[in-house]
């Protein structure tokens, strides 16, 4: 998704801007650009290729300077095209061309400006010419329109006119050593250097440049100059921008740059990293206690009478799996909501609910907004299961469990999902303990199963050659159905999501018992039906559902636990899972589904790590 890097320095900052963009690259983007203040004018290069190509263009054009901004764009308003790529320039009213080396204001933007049409009409009437379809260009023109010698004043005057979510960075031809940045609804950090200052949408972009980071808060505006920075925000009562003090934190942000090693794609590497990621996530756990989730967790866990899980995509499916655990083991009523729905829905708030957000990135706009919505309704007991300790989600929640999956580069989430499940299982056990539903013996048994998980996952990964054999056939299909029951239904949903997002095969998942209520009509010999078949209490019911498919000539592809007595025959293909894993079985069963999606996508030749239209971190609504 969109990324921002900006800098004010005495040295040439273009290599820092380019490196910063490279560190944000894995999040997904479709164009990129850089603009600098060079020899008294604005210069820029933009590209719809990779940042590496942008770097070549920058070198060829001799772009080098001490003040500049850069951006990776994930298209929302306007197609992925050079003229829509950021930075956007404003030349002032009446100017005709948007040439590469003219303009007074240069601006980059993450987020969405909801009232851009109204502003566009207003600015057009004032004589501003638009060269893109973006909502961003209106901000550049608005700042230009309000500029009368002081960029900070112009930005502060422009911000109250914007509706929506944004993080922006802007500089002006007439003020060579200054960048103004602001945030409202999209993340932004300030990086403090010696005699130089930086801004970025993620501290990771500044790794190796500075570890002195200020996490800007909603409404913050920062004025970056060479040896100083100044943060302000609009004061509701005075109606003026007033100075703000923010803590400078030492942040050892990882670079996000991971070597591929022997793997073809990051996704494959990340699938195979799961034993280590799970082991790392469990590393410090010697016993179950609420304090695993932070200070004060015991008091909160004692107080709550229900759980509300908020998340998107794969993280939502982790939450959907956890619901089964929370209700059956901890006996606590649990609801799971898609964040983008919950935030706009009339619901009945319960201040005694534990609000749990789940997010790999910790920056997902919908999940952050849902959390905010829950809090605004008086639900103050908040906890996140998150993979990024420095993220907004962790900062916004009272309690946290940080999964230790390591940086996940592939857009399709794999190791983040299985480590989220581990974190959520620990949460289940901690709540069960607090509520008197976990004896010492059960705790010991669960801990033993958790500790053995990395080995069990390794054994499942050894099924890869069998999955590859199936993937050849899947690659020729355009549709697939996934079935599961009970706590493996969310795993079927996750399997279908994985397949559709990277292979572009249309895939749907159903609870197997629901088949006869509609989706059975889709079943023909052309329809592969993937079935998640653990040896649990629902196995016999599931077998009946499989018969319904067989009777209609459907092709079953079954991941069956070792002792299920489901044997391969015509129209029924079986891959046998090494062992049945009780409550933690979903963590094993999702792995062959990840492999199936991965190898099917490889066979179809898609861009596995950067699937079309998708971004790693979805920081817009
Ligand atoms: C998963 O493969 C996805 N790419 C996507 O559904 C993702 O899980 C979702 O956008 C939520 O992201 P988060 O975990 O970073 O909040």
């Amino acid at each position: 998704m969109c990324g921002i890097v900006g800098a004010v320095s005495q040295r040439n900052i273009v290599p820092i801007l380019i490196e910063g963009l490279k560190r944000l690259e894995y999040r997904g983007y479709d164009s990129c650009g850089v603009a600098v203040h060079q020899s008294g004018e604005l210069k820029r290069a933009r590209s719809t290729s990779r940042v590496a190509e942008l770097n070549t263009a920058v070198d060829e054009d001799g772009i080098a300077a001490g003040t500049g901004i850069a951006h990776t764009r994930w298209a929302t308003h306007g197609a992925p095209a050079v003229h829509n790529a950021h930075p956007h320039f404003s030349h002032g009213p009446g100017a005709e061309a948007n040439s590469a080396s003219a303009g007074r204001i240069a601006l980059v933007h993450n987020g969405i400006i909801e009232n851009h049409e109204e502003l566009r009409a207003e600015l057009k009437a004032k004589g501003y010419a638009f060269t893109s379809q973006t909502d961003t260009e209106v901000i550049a023109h608005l700042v230009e329109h309000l500029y009368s010698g002081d960029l900070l004043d112009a930005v502060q005057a422009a911000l109250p006119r914007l509706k929506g979510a944004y993080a922006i960075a802007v500089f002006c031809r007439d003020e060579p050593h200054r960048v103004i940045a602001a945030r409202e609804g999209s993340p932004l950090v300030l990086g403090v250097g010696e005699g130089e200052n930086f801004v970025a949408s993620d501290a990771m972009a500044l790794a190796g440049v500075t570890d002195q980071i200020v996490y800007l808060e909603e409404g913050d505006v920062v004025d970056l100059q060479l040896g100083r920075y100044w943060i302000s925000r609009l004061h509701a009562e005075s109606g003026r921008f007033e100075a703000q003090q923010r803590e400078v934190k030492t942040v050892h942000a990882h670079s996000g740059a991971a070597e591929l090693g022997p793997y073809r794609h990051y996704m494959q590497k990340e699938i195979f990293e799961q034993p280590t990621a799970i082991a790392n996530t469990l590393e410090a756990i010697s016993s179950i206690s609420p304090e695993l989730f932070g200070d004060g967790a015991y008091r909160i866990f004692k107080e709550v009478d229900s759980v509300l899980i908020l998340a998107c995509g794969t993280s939502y499916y982790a939450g959907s799996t956890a619901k089964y655990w929370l209700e059956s083991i901890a006996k606590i009523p649990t609801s799971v909501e898609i964040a983008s729905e919950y935030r706009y829905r009339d619901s009945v708030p319960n201040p005694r609910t534990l609000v749990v957000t789940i997010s790999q990135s910790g920056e997902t706009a919908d999940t952050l907004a849902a959390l905010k919505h829950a809090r605004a309704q008086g639900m103050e007991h908040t906890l996140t299961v998150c993979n990024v300790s420095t993220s907004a989600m962790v900062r916004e929640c009272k309690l946290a469990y940080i999964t230790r999956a390591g940086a996940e580069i592939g857009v399709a989430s794999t190791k983040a999902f299985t480590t989220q499940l581990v974190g959520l299982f620990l949460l289940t056990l901690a709540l069960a303990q607090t509520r008197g539903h976990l004896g010492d013996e059960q705790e010991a048994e669960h801990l033993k199963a958790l500790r053995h998980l990395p080995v069990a996952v390794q054994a499942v990964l050894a099924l890869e050659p069998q999955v590859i054999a199936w993937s050849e056939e899947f690659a020729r299909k355009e549709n697939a159905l996934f079935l599961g029951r009970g706590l493996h239904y969310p795993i079927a949903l996750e399997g279908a999501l994985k397949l559709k997002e990277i292979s572009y095969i249309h895939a749907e998942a159903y609870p197997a018992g629901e088949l006869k209520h509609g989706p059975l009509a889709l079943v023909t010999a052309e329809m592969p039906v993937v079935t998640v078949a653990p040896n649990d209490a629902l196995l016999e019911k599931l077998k009946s559902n499989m018969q319904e498919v067989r009777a209609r000539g459907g092709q079953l592809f079954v991941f069956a636990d070792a002792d299920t007595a489901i044997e391969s025959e015509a129209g029924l293909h079986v891959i046998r899972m090494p062992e049945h894993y009780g409550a933690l079985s979903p963590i094993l069963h999702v792995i062959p589904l990840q492999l199936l999606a991965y190898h099917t996508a490889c066979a179809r030749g898609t861009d596995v790590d950067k699937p079309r239209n998708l971004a790693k971190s979805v920081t817009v609504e």
Side-chain angles (χ1 to χ4, degrees), residues 192-207:
V192 183
E194 287 188 13
E196 55 185 10
N197 290 300
F198 306 89
V199 67
S201 49
D202 189 313
M204 185 202 283
L206 303 177

Side-chain angles (χ1 to χ4, degrees), residues 347-477:
S347 51
V348 183
N350 171 7
R352 292 186 62 197
T353 291
L354 178 65
V355 178
V356 177
T357 63
I358 307 170
S359 177
Q360 184 283 129
S361 62
E363 302 291 352
T364 302
D366 283 323
T367 312
L368 283 167
L371 170 68
K372 207 169 163 184
H373 179 68
R375 287 211 321 237
Q377 299 203 70
M379 294 196 273
E380 286 298 333
H381 299 317
T382 55
L383 181 153
T384 187
V385 174
C386 186
N387 197 38
V388 182
S389 61
T390 52
S391 64
M393 200 72 76
V394 175
R395 294 197 304 278
E396 298 287 326
C397 286
K398 279 191 188 154
L399 304 174
Y401 192 82
I402 308 298
T403 51
R404 297 212 199 145
E408 193 178 64
I409 309 291
V411 163
S413 192
T414 52
K415 61 178 182 171
F417 179 70
T418 44
T419 53
Q420 282 169 350
L421 289 177
V422 168
L424 290 162
F425 194 73
L426 290 170
L427 175 64
T428 302
L429 298 184
L431 280 165
Q433 188 184 64
T434 316
R435 296 163 64 82
H437 298 300
L438 188 76
D440 292 348
E441 209 173 302
Q442 290 154 308
E443 178 183 340
E445 267 170 33
H446 286 307
L447 281 174
K448 194 172 158 205
L450 280 166
R451 289 206 187 96
H452 180 65
L453 252 184
V455 176
V457 169
Q458 200 67 55
V460 179
L461 289 168
L463 300 174
E464 189 182 35
Q466 295 177 57
V467 177
I468 293 174
W470 282 9
S471 66
E472 297 295 328
E473 182 155 357
F474 274 75
R476 291 191 291 271
K477 304 289 180 190

Side-chain angles (χ1 to χ4, degrees), residues 561-612:
D561 279 355
D563 38 9
T564 51
I566 300 174
E567 302 293 340
S568 294
E569 56 181 65
L572 172 59
H573 315 269
V574 180
I575 290 182
R576 211 159 283 291
M577 300 286 285
E579 58 185 312
H580 176 58
Y581 219 75
L584 290 167
S585 166
I587 298 179
L588 297 195
H589 265 280
V590 76
I591 286 163
L593 303 186
Q594 296 168 344
L595 288 168
L596 181 64
Y598 172 72
H599 286 291
T600 304
C602 288
R604 286 167 73 102
T606 61
D607 191 350
V608 173
D609 285 332
K610 296 189 179 75
R612 70 182 178 208

Side-chain angles (χ1 to χ4, degrees), residues 177-436:
H177 305 294
R178 196 180 201 189
V179 169
I180 308 292
R183 73 160 285 198
E184 183 69 57
S186 291
L188 201 63
V189 302
L190 161 70
V192 183
E194 287 188 13
E196 55 185 10
N197 290 300
F198 306 89
V199 67
S201 49
D202 189 313
M204 185 202 283
L206 303 177
V209 177
T210 177
D211 60 2
Q212 298 300 290
I213 299 293
V214 176
Y215 289 96
L216 295 169
E217 295 183 13
E218 297 292 6
D220 280 356
V221 181
V222 58
D223 180 353
L224 292 90
Q225 298 183 26
L226 282 173
R228 68 180 284 269
Y229 66 85
W230 190 72
I231 301 172
S232 62
R233 73 189 305 180
L234 188 60
H235 197 269
E237 280 162 29
S238 68
R240 287 201 306 270
F241 279 83
E242 295 182 2
Q244 298 294 313
Q245 296 304 317
R246 298 274 177 257
E247 190 188 348
V248 182
K249 295 188 173 160
T250 302
V251 175
H252 301 293
H254 55 75
S255 68
E259 295 301 321
L260 261 182
Y263 300 101
R264 268 178 79 188
H265 298 96
Y266 283 108
M267 182 180 176
Q268 187 188 27
K269 177 173 186 271
E270 287 156 7
I271 291 172
F272 278 84
E273 277 174 350
Q274 288 178 108
T276 313
I278 292 171
N280 289 344
T281 299
L282 287 166
E283 197 181 56
I285 314 292
S286 53
S287 62
I288 299 301
S289 104
E291 268 58 46
L292 293 173
F293 298 86
D295 293 343
Y298 178 74
R299 185 185 51 76
I300 291 177
F301 287 6
K302 268 287 185 205
E303 214 172 303
V304 298
D305 64 7
S306 55
V307 173
L308 166 64
I309 297 177
L310 303 171
C312 306
T314 288
S315 297
Y316 170 76
Y317 296 142
S320 307
T321 309
K323 175 183 162 77
Y324 288 86
W325 291 333
L326 285 158
E327 296 205 333
S328 93
I329 301 173
K331 317 270 179 237
I332 186 161
T334 301
S335 50
V336 193
E337 300 239 11
I338 289 176
S340 56
E341 286 295 312
Y342 172 77
R343 61 185 287 196
Y344 292 117
R345 186 171 87 69
D346 284 336
S347 51
V348 183
N350 171 7
R352 292 186 62 197
T353 291
L354 178 65
V355 178
V356 177
T357 63
I358 307 170
S359 177
Q360 184 283 129
S361 62
E363 302 291 352
T364 302
D366 283 323
T367 312
L368 283 167
L371 170 68
K372 207 169 163 184
H373 179 68
R375 287 211 321 237
Q377 299 203 70
M379 294 196 273
E380 286 298 333
H381 299 317
T382 55
L383 181 153
T384 187
V385 174
C386 186
N387 197 38
V388 182
S389 61
T390 52
S391 64
M393 200 72 76
V394 175
R395 294 197 304 278
E396 298 287 326
C397 286
K398 279 191 188 154
L399 304 174
Y401 192 82
I402 308 298
T403 51
R404 297 212 199 145
E408 193 178 64
I409 309 291
V411 163
S413 192
T414 52
K415 61 178 182 171
F417 179 70
T418 44
T419 53
Q420 282 169 350
L421 289 177
V422 168
L424 290 162
F425 194 73
L426 290 170
L427 175 64
T428 302
L429 298 184
L431 280 165
Q433 188 184 64
T434 316
R435 296 163 64 82

